[in-house]
Amino acid sequence: MSDEPFPGWVEVLLTDAHGAEWSLFDKPTAFDDEGRLRGNTAYPVDVDVACEVVGRGQLADGTEVLTVSTRLPFGIEAADGRTEFLVDVDQVRDVDQVR
């Protein structure tokens, strides 16, 4: 968690289906609506990243994967502006399962 340049920004690392890590930066409320992400929280903390499934497929080894977009609902993007990521199907939960 960082208070620079604006109070309360967090970095979340998203690992995609190929094992690459992507840095996502936003306000804590974009990743946590329960108020767990605070200055005195012991990090790292597992969080959910709101996303929309925009595709489904398989890797060469048969692993089922999803293409997700983090553009909606909060406009979350990686440091390079990327908003679509290929992730393992097990990394995605329905919003009803999160609450």
Side-chain angles (χ1 to χ4, degrees):
M1 178 169 221
S2 172
D3 286 331
E4 299 296 330
F6 300 103
W9 284 85
V10 294
E11 175 183 18
V12 170
L13 296 178
L14 171 74
T15 304
D16 70 16
H18 298 291
E21 284 191 343
W22 299 89
S23 292
L24 309 174
F25 294 94
D26 214 310
K27 292 282 194 179
T29 54
F31 303 111
D32 169 38
D33 62 359
E34 298 173 9
R36 296 175 299 142
L37 302 179
R38 299 171 184 257
N40 62 352
T41 300
Y43 289 91
V45 174
D46 288 334
V47 297
D48 295 310
V49 177
C51 65
E52 176 181 34
V53 175
V54 295
R56 179 181 291 270
Q58 286 187 341
L59 297 180
D61 66 2
T63 302
E64 187 176 3
V65 294
L66 300 171
T67 301
V68 297
S69 172
T70 57
R71 190 175 60 79
L72 294 175
F74 300 116
I76 298 170
E77 58 185 42
D80 69 353
R82 182 184 184 117
T83 59
E84 288 194 4
F85 306 91
L86 189 66
V87 298
D88 291 331
V89 70
D90 295 338
Q91 289 178 263
V92 178
R93 295 185 291 165
D94 186 282
V95 69
D96 293 329
Q97 295 173 345
V98 175
R99 303 209 188 272

